[in-house]
C-alpha cells in the first residue's frame, strides 16, 4: 500500500525539511514543492522533489494531479523581518499571492486539509503581555502583515469551499535535527542563534545586538524559542487532528519562556564553551520588544510535548549541525 502523501511547500527549507523527516517517520510520504529561493535540494531527503514556484499555477496543478496528496503543509514563504521592512512588495507578492495560488489549486484538486505556518509576528507590539491565540493581531512589519492576510484568505476559503485548516503561529524556531540529516542553512544567515555560532567560529567578526534600549529586563528583545524537531512533531499532530475530523483550529507553538538576546548569548557560551564575540548596535526596524506565548492549547488539545525546547538543547543541536558545514553549493 502506498503511504498517504502530503504536499510540503517549502520542504527544502529549514523547518519544512525537518517536517518532511518527521512525516516520513510517521508513515507519510512528503512531496516537497519548492523553488529553492532560500532552500536546498540537498535538504530534500525523505520523498519526491518537485522544483516549482507558488507563483506558477500550472506547476501547482500538475503537482496535485501527479501526487494526489491527502493534505498540504504550507511552509514556503519569505520570512525575514529586517528584509520585509525594506522590501515589503517582495513579501506581499510571494507570501500572499503565492498562498492564494496554492489554496486555489488545492481546492480545485479537492485536497481540503491544510496546515499553515503562521507566526507570532502577526501579534506585533503588545506591551510585554503573554500572547494567546485570542490576542489581537496587529503586526508591525510587512512579513507579519502578509501572514495575517494569508490567515484571512484561509478563513474565507474555509467558509466558501470547505477548506479545513490548522494554523500554527510559531514563536522563534531554533536547533536542528539531532541526527544531523537536516539543519538550518540560510545564506546570508540572519537568525540570532546561527549568527552567534558564525561569530564563535570566525565566519563573521561578531554578532551585532540589535537594540539595547527596549523596555525589557536588560534592554534587549525578548523571544520565546522552540526546537525545530518539536515544531515538526506538532505539524504531524496538526495533520492527524484534521484527518481525524476535528474542527479547524489555531495553535501557538512556543514554550512560554522568554529570553533576552543577552541571555541567549550567555547560554551560547555555556552550551558551546566559547565566548560569543559581540557588540551593541541600534535597533532593527520592525522588531517587537517581546514575543512570548502564553498558551497551553497545543499541549492540552494536540497532546504536543516539546521535549527538546530548552535553550541549552537548541543551541547544542544547532552547534553540532553548524560544525558539519551545512549544505554546499
Ligand atoms: N524560522 C522561524 O523562526 C519561523 C518562525 C515563525 C514562522 N516561520 C515560518 O515558517 C516557514 C518556514 O520558515 P523557514 O525558517 O524554514 O524558512 P526557509 O527560508 O528556510 O524555508 C522557506 C522555503 O520556502 C521556499 N519558497 C519560498 N518562496 C517560494 C515560492 N514562491 N515557491 C516555492 N517555494 C518557495 C524556499 O526556497 C525555502 O526552501 C515560513 O513560512 C516562515 O514564515 C518561521
Ligand atoms: O544578528 C542578530 C540577529 C538577531 N538579533 C535579535 O535577536 C532576536 C531574534 O531575531 P531573529 O532570530 O532574526 O528572529 P525574529 O526576527 O524574531 O524572527 C523569527 O521569528 C519570528 C517569530 O518571532 C518568525 O516569524 C520569523 O520568520 C523568524 O525569522 C531579535 O530581537 C533580533 O533583533 C540580534 O540582536 N542580532
Amino acid at each position: 500500500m502506498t503511504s498517504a502523501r502530503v504536499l510540503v511547500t517549502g520542504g527544502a527549507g529549514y523547518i519544512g525539511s525537518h517536517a518532511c523527516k518527521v512525516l516520513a517517520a510517521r508513515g507519510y510520504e512528503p512531496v516537497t514543492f519548492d523553488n529553492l529561493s532560500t532552500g536546498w535540494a540537498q535538504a530534500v531527503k525523505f520523498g519526491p522533489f518537485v522544483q516549482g514556484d507558488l507563483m506558477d499555477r500550472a506547476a501547482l496543478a500538475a503537482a496535485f494531479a501527479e501526487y494526489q496528496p491527502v493534505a498540504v503543509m504550507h511552509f514556503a514563504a519569505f520570512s525575514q523581518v529586517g528584509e520585509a521592512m525594506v522590501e515589503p512588495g517582495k513579501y506581499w507578492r510571494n507570501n500572499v499571492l503565492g498562498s492564494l495560488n496554492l489554496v486555489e489549486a488545492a481546492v480545485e484538486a479537492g485536497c481540503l486539509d491544510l496546515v499553515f505556518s503562521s507566526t507570532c509576528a502577526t501579534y506585533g507590539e503588545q506591551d510585554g503581555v503573554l500572547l494567546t491565540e485570542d490576542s489581537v493581531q496587529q503586526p508591525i512589519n510587512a512579513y507579519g502583515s502578509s501572514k495575517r492576510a494569508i490567515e484571512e484568505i484561509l478563513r474565507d476559503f474555509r467558509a466558501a469551499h470547505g477548506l479545513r485548516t490548522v494554523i500554527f503561529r510559531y514563536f522563534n524556531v531554533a536547533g536542528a535535527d539531532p541526527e544531523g540529516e537536516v539543519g538550518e542553512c540560510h545564506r546570508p544567515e540572519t537568525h540570532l542563534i546561527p549568527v552567534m555560532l558564525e561569530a564563535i567560529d570566525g565566519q563573521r567578526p561578531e554578532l551585532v545586538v540589535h537594540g539595547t534600549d527596549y523596555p525589557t529586563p536588560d534592554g534587549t528583545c525578548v523571544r520565546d524559542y522552540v526546537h525545530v524537531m518539536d515544531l515538526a512533531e506538532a505539524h504531524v499532530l496538526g495533520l492527524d487532528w484534521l484527518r481525524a475530523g476535528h474542527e479547524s483550529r489555531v495553535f501557538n507553538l512556543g514554550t512560554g519562556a522568554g529570553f533576552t538576546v543577552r541571555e541567549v548569548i550567555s547560554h551560547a557560551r555555556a552550551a558551546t564553551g566559547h565566548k560569543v564575540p559581540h557588540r551593541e548596535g541600534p535597533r532593527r526596524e520592525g522588531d517587537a520588544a517581546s514575543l512570548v506565548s502564553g498558551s497551553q492549547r497545543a499541549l492540552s488539545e494536540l497532546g504536543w510535548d516539546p521535549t527538546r525546547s530548552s535553550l541549552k538543547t537548541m543551541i547544542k543541536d544547532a552547534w553540532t549541525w553548524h560544525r558539519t558545514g551545512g549544505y554546499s553549493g
Side-chain angles (χ1 to χ4, degrees):
M1 202 183 81
T2 51
S3 316
R5 295 196 183 107
V6 178
L7 189 72
V8 183
T9 75
Y14 170 42
I15 302 170
S17 59
H18 290 77
C20 287
K21 175 165 178 153
V22 177
L23 278 167
R26 298 286 181 278
Y28 289 101
E29 184 178 43
V31 178
T32 289
F33 184 95
D34 197 300
N35 66 0
L36 301 184
S37 52
T38 59
W40 301 85
Q42 298 150 73
V44 185
K45 297 185 166 172
F46 311 101
F49 178 32
V50 179
Q51 186 167 346
D53 195 309
L54 293 179
M55 302 310 284
D56 182 348
R57 274 295 304 271
L60 281 167
F64 278 104
E66 181 173 357
Y67 291 101
Q68 304 279 317
V70 297
V72 178
M73 279 191 191
H74 179 30
F75 297 95
F78 294 141
S79 64
Q80 291 174 23
V81 170
E83 184 185 61
M85 292 306 289
V86 290
E87 289 188 79
K90 178 174 172 178
Y91 279 70
W92 280 95
R93 185 171 299 102
N94 191 58
N95 294 359
V96 179
L97 297 184
S99 297
L100 181 58
N101 280 338
L102 172 70
V103 171
E104 286 184 334
V107 167
E108 269 172 32
C111 181
L112 296 178
D113 287 351
L114 185 144
V115 179
F116 174 57
S117 301
S118 190
T119 164
C120 63
T122 61
Y123 295 122
E125 195 69 82
Q126 314 222 0
D127 279 344
V129 295
L130 294 180
L131 301 162
T132 74
E133 291 83 354
D134 299 322
S135 297
V136 61
Q137 290 177 288
Q138 47 187 28
I140 58 168
N141 55 60
Y143 164 62
S145 302
S146 74
K147 289 283 179 168
R148 184 180 64 177
I150 299 164
E151 291 197 19
E152 287 170 9
I153 291 173
L154 297 179
R155 181 196 61 205
D156 292 345
F157 276 67
R158 284 197 297 268
H161 300 297
L163 190 73
R164 291 157 30 76
T165 63
V166 161
I167 293 175
F168 285 125
R169 295 188 189 135
Y170 328 150
F171 287 68
N172 286 56
V173 187
D177 168 21
E179 291 169 0
E181 287 191 281
V182 283
E184 180 165 18
C185 188
H186 296 121
R187 305 249 167 85
E189 192 49 78
T190 62
H191 288 145
L192 178 62
I193 290 174
V195 166
M196 280 185 337
L197 302 180
E198 288 185 359
I200 286 174
D201 81 359
Q203 283 175 263
R204 63 173 71 217
E206 65 204 347
L207 165 77
V208 179
V209 176
H210 296 318
T212 53
D213 60 348
Y214 286 96
T216 59
D218 66 20
T220 64
C221 290
V222 173
R223 294 289 183 274
D224 177 344
Y225 294 85
V226 56
H227 197 293
V228 65
M229 289 304 283
D230 287 338
L231 199 85
E233 296 281 354
H235 280 70
V236 180
L237 293 172
L239 173 63
D240 290 343
W241 164 280
L242 287 175
R243 284 170 52 78
H246 293 296
E247 61 179 8
S248 292
R249 199 79 167 129
V250 177
F251 297 97
N252 280 351
L253 293 178
T255 65
F259 295 93
T260 66
V261 173
R262 291 190 211 277
E263 286 170 334
V264 178
I265 291 171
S266 56
H267 274 85
R269 178 170 189 174
T272 65
H274 297 278
K275 268 188 167 170
V276 181
H278 65 279
R279 71 175 164 86
E280 296 179 0
R283 290 185 179 198
R284 187 176 65 181
E285 289 295 316
D287 276 345
S290 175
L291 292 167
V292 181
S293 175
S295 174
Q296 300 284 308
R297 185 184 286 178
L299 282 70
S300 61
E301 296 187 17
L302 290 178
W304 184 48
D305 184 16
T307 54
R308 300 195 72 81
S309 294
S310 70
L311 259 190
K312 184 178 175 193
T313 302
M314 288 185 277
I315 295 170
K316 271 190 181 297
D317 288 349
W319 182 231
T320 304
W321 164 257
H322 179 83
R323 281 180 298 171
T324 68
Y327 305 119
S328 55

